[in-house]
Amino acid sequence: MVTSDRKAPVCVLGVGLIGGSLLRAAVGAGYDAWGYNRSEAGARAARADGFEVTGDLIGVLTRARETDALIVIAVPMPAVDHILADISTFAPGCTLTDVVSVKAPVTAAVHKHGLAGRYIGGHPMAGTSESGWAATDPGLFQGAAWAVGVDEGTRPEPWTRVVRLALACGSMVVPVVADEHDRAVARISHLPHVLAEALAIAGASGGDLALGLAAGSFRDGTRVASTSPDLVRAICEPNSEALLDVLNNTLTVLARARDSLLDTGSLADLVDAGFAARQRYDTAQRWEITGIRPGDHDWLGRLREAGQRGGVITSLD
Amino acid sequence: MVTSDRKAPVCVLGVGLIGGSLLRAAVGAGYDAWGYNRSEAGARAARADGFEVTGDLIGVLTRARETDALIVIAVPMPAVDHILADISTFAPGCTLTDVVSVKAPVTAAVHKHGLAGRYIGGHPMAGTSESGWAATDPGLFQGAAWAVGVDEGTRPEPWTRVVRLALACGSMVVPVVADEHDRAVARISHLPHVLAEALAIAGASGGDLALGLAAGSFRDGTRVASTSPDLVRAICEPNSEALLDVLNNTLTVLARARDSLLDTGSLADLVDAGFAARQRYDTAQRWEITGIRPGDHDWLGRLREAGQRGGVITSLD
């Protein structure tokens, strides 16, 4: 049964690709939802499509406070601190989540601003190399994984609200703590950006001949190098510690492959391991987490452990 | 005007993804074409689809000799030497091309077997991570670049035959000499394979959590790691010299990015250069080479130079 309580209002701060798509998806799912956008052009484009989006942050936050809305921070990491300062001033009691690509730095900032009590980290694993309102799509989150924080101290009520929103947008929820999230996305989101940039550089260094011969493997391998440089940096740089770890590991893997090719003419170790890894990805089965209710004994630890083993939440109750 | 001379028979040795697709495309374009396949299962599958393919290499080559067919070598590099030995015995006078992913090693083998006089190197830049007859597609080469050799000593008549076949399959012809081809494909085909394998390894090392959070950037960045390990090695290892060069360059680029991230927290240099490189790829315009007729003064040098500048041949007359 859907009650008004289950669809408490949603206030989206930043209506770029992710925030804007979330606003569209939430409205489509029956939520009372509105938003803020720093650039007036983006706000105007959203209004032209019939959504309530303004550049008046104080007004938007005041409305959130008055309606006890769930606030979704959907600005890039470099803008998070500033927006948290305004939240702590104008809507300090609201439940708070975010869709930023790293979790530990957002969590630290939330603590700094005294907002940790009602904050639940979030990260929908969806996107394209496009950005801005024009790229928004209410179906962007359908079937996607949506990481939701289960860090120590998380309270059941705000957590349930955030999970309900993610499910209403069509996602599967992956319960994960901030540090483990950040290490995982360094591997499957930030490293892909770094390697795509390096591959694009190697291709273009071959001039018009190389680019003219480039086909599917180059096109796919460099796709995310089309993402705007500012956005790539805003995604990767705040996760530098985890990204450095996996980048160093990958440098080792590549240097070993180089040595093997040089010494023996063989890429067997790299290619066999890479094929097996991709097979594991292709055959990985998500499984449904059931029987853990928010507030149960050790619910956070049990959800965390289930998420580590590939479990997802597809419904609540 | 299409004459029978312009569609002299085509004999395809190996009907996997590339050779089989070529056989389909050639038949579709009105060529009398048939093939050989080492595995009887592949030959049977091709026959079931109505194509003349057998496991009788001597019979196939004898028919090629009797009909003055263009022979297309479409086996992986490790099998090239063996098949050239049979060609030199049973069809030494035939015009010869190939679709192998490297050109210098094939050229060297062709010389060794005394077949260089009528050999023109070829390489259609098309493929998927699938392989075998079941994956063949007569439209595979539509709009693709097809590298055709313009090495010193190339004679106009066999060259024209190979170019006509590539054009009939729907491709644009990129004129290129063997060494420059091999250096270019190391950048845009072989390095993508190496990086995809390394990325897949990094992702799977994060376990079910990381693989469960993986989305488009990981899926696209590892797509070619699905290719069978034997095939990847057969593609990359024969081009080890050029691949080592570009792999070393890329290790340097990545190590610099690592150092920058570690020392300053910034990925600006990598990301700006990668974005510019991908933009160059996205905006690269192929242009049509005209006015150079096979046999004209310095036609090979002029075609080579045009190919270096992104020129393609889209028609002959």
Side-chain angles (χ1 to χ4, degrees):
Chain A
M1 190 180 72
V2 177
T3 70
S4 61
D5 177 52
R6 293 193 168 191
K7 296 225 169 135
V10 173
C11 167
V12 182
L13 306 181
V15 295
L17 172 65
I18 303 296
S21 296
L22 174 50
L23 177 61
R24 283 180 180 273
V27 168
Y31 282 86
D32 180 23
W34 67 91
Y36 155 82
N37 201 60
R38 188 171 61 91
S39 106
E40 177 52 26
R44 197 183 313 120
R47 283 198 302 275
D49 285 342
F51 294 88
E52 287 184 79
V53 178
T54 79
D56 172 16
L57 180 56
I58 295 174
V60 162
L61 290 176
T62 302
R63 179 173 171 189
R65 188 191 67 228
E66 288 169 358
T67 58
D68 188 30
L70 168 61
I71 294 175
V72 182
I73 300 174
V75 298
M77 185 65 218
V80 165
D81 193 68
H82 178 79
I83 217 155
L84 284 171
D86 282 330
I87 294 170
S88 71
T89 304
F90 298 104
C94 282
T95 296
L96 196 59
T97 188
D98 73 301
V99 295
V100 178
S101 52
V102 285
K103 295 281 68 72
V106 176
T107 304
V110 164
H111 274 268
K112 189 184 93 177
H113 288 281
L115 295 167
R118 298 193 65 77
Y119 167 72
I120 309 292
H123 184 201
M125 305 306 298
T128 73
S129 55
E130 312 280 304
S131 57
W133 176 267
T136 59
D137 170 9
L140 186 66
F141 310 108
Q142 284 290 342
W146 189 314
V148 175
V150 288
D151 299 80
E152 224 180 293
T154 297
R155 288 152 58 191
E157 189 277 324
W159 185 86
T160 302
R161 264 173 88 164
V162 172
V163 169
R164 282 201 201 289
L165 176 63
L167 296 176
C169 291
S171 290
M172 300 167 289
V173 167
V174 176
V176 61
V177 298
D179 286 346
E180 290 173 6
H181 167 277
D182 291 356
R183 286 199 291 273
V185 296
R187 293 180 181 280
I188 52 81
S189 171
H190 305 168
L191 183 65
H193 276 287
V194 168
L195 295 183
E197 308 287 7
L199 179 57
I201 292 166
S205 301
D208 291 332
L209 176 64
L211 292 178
L213 290 172
S217 64
F218 184 78
R219 186 182 60 241
D220 288 356
T222 60
R223 181 179 62 80
V224 293
S226 294
T227 311
S228 99
D230 288 348
L231 186 56
V232 174
R233 294 180 57 192
I235 288 171
C236 294
E237 291 173 358
N239 199 23
S240 62
E241 192 180 321
L243 179 53
L244 280 166
D245 268 355
V246 64
L247 182 51
N248 274 321
N249 290 346
T250 298
L251 280 164
T252 303
V253 165
L254 289 171
R256 277 195 196 133
R258 185 261 325 266
D259 294 344
S260 170
L261 188 59
L262 184 62
D263 296 343
T264 71
S266 171
L267 285 172
D269 288 350
L270 175 79
V271 173
D272 290 345
F275 179 75
R278 168 75 197 202
Q279 291 287 105
R280 181 171 169 192
Y281 167 68
D282 281 333
T283 58
Q285 297 283 340
R286 290 189 168 106
W287 54 274
E288 196 180 340
I289 302 170
T290 55
I292 306 175
R293 294 158 60 100
D296 280 358
H297 174 71
D298 195 28
W299 67 288
L300 293 168
R302 290 162 64 203
L303 285 173
R304 173 185 177 175
E305 187 269 338
Q308 289 166 340
R309 292 189 293 108
V312 295
I313 298 164
T314 58
S315 66
L316 279 185
D317 356 315
Chain B
M1 189 180 74
V2 176
T3 69
S4 61
D5 177 51
R6 291 191 168 193
K7 295 222 169 139
V10 173
C11 167
V12 181
L13 305 180
V15 295
L17 172 64
I18 303 295
S21 295
L22 174 50
L23 178 61
R24 283 180 181 275
V27 168
Y31 281 85
D32 180 22
W34 66 92
Y36 155 82
N37 202 60
R38 189 171 61 91
S39 106
E40 177 53 26
R44 198 182 311 119
R47 282 198 302 274
D49 284 340
F51 295 87
E52 287 184 78
V53 178
T54 79
D56 171 16
L57 181 56
I58 294 174
V60 162
L61 290 176
T62 301
R63 180 173 170 190
R65 188 190 66 226
E66 288 169 357
T67 58
D68 189 28
L70 168 60
I71 295 175
V72 181
I73 300 173
V75 298
M77 186 65 218
V80 165
D81 192 68
H82 177 78
I83 218 156
L84 284 171
D86 282 329
I87 293 170
S88 71
T89 304
F90 298 103
C94 283
T95 297
L96 195 60
T97 188
D98 73 302
V99 295
V100 178
S101 52
V102 284
K103 295 279 70 73
V106 177
T107 304
V110 164
H111 274 269
K112 189 184 95 177
H113 288 282
L115 295 167
R118 298 193 65 77
Y119 168 72
I120 310 292
H123 184 201
M125 304 306 298
T128 73
S129 55
E130 312 281 303
S131 58
W133 177 266
T136 58
D137 171 7
L140 186 66
F141 310 108
Q142 284 290 340
W146 189 314
V148 174
V150 287
D151 299 80
E152 226 181 290
T154 297
R155 288 153 57 192
E157 189 276 325
W159 186 85
T160 302
R161 264 171 90 164
V162 172
V163 169
R164 281 198 201 291
L165 177 63
L167 296 176
C169 291
S171 291
M172 299 168 290
V173 167
V174 175
V176 62
V177 298
D179 286 348
E180 291 173 5
H181 167 277
D182 291 357
R183 287 199 292 271
V185 296
R187 295 181 180 279
I188 53 82
S189 171
H190 305 169
L191 182 65
H193 275 286
V194 167
L195 295 183
E197 308 288 6
L199 179 57
I201 291 167
S205 301
D208 291 332
L209 176 64
L211 293 178
L213 290 173
S217 64
F218 183 78
R219 186 182 58 242
D220 288 356
T222 60
R223 182 181 60 80
V224 293
S226 294
T227 310
S228 101
D230 287 348
L231 186 55
V232 174
R233 294 181 58 193
I235 288 171
C236 294
E237 291 174 357
N239 199 24
S240 62
E241 192 179 322
L243 179 53
L244 280 166
D245 268 354
V246 65
L247 183 50
N248 275 319
N249 291 344
T250 298
L251 280 164
T252 302
V253 165
L254 290 171
R256 279 195 195 133
R258 185 263 323 268
D259 294 344
S260 170
L261 188 60
L262 184 62
D263 297 341
T264 70
S266 171
L267 285 171
D269 288 351
L270 175 79
V271 173
D272 289 346
F275 179 73
R278 169 75 197 203
Q279 291 287 104
R280 181 170 170 194
Y281 167 67
D282 280 333
T283 57
Q285 297 283 339
R286 290 191 169 106
W287 54 273
E288 196 180 337
I289 302 170
T290 54
I292 306 175
R293 294 159 60 100
D296 279 359
H297 173 70
D298 195 29
W299 67 288
L300 294 168
R302 290 162 66 203
L303 286 173
R304 172 184 178 176
E305 187 271 339
Q308 288 167 340
R309 292 188 294 110
V312 295
I313 298 164
T314 59
S315 68
L316 276 185
D317 39 34

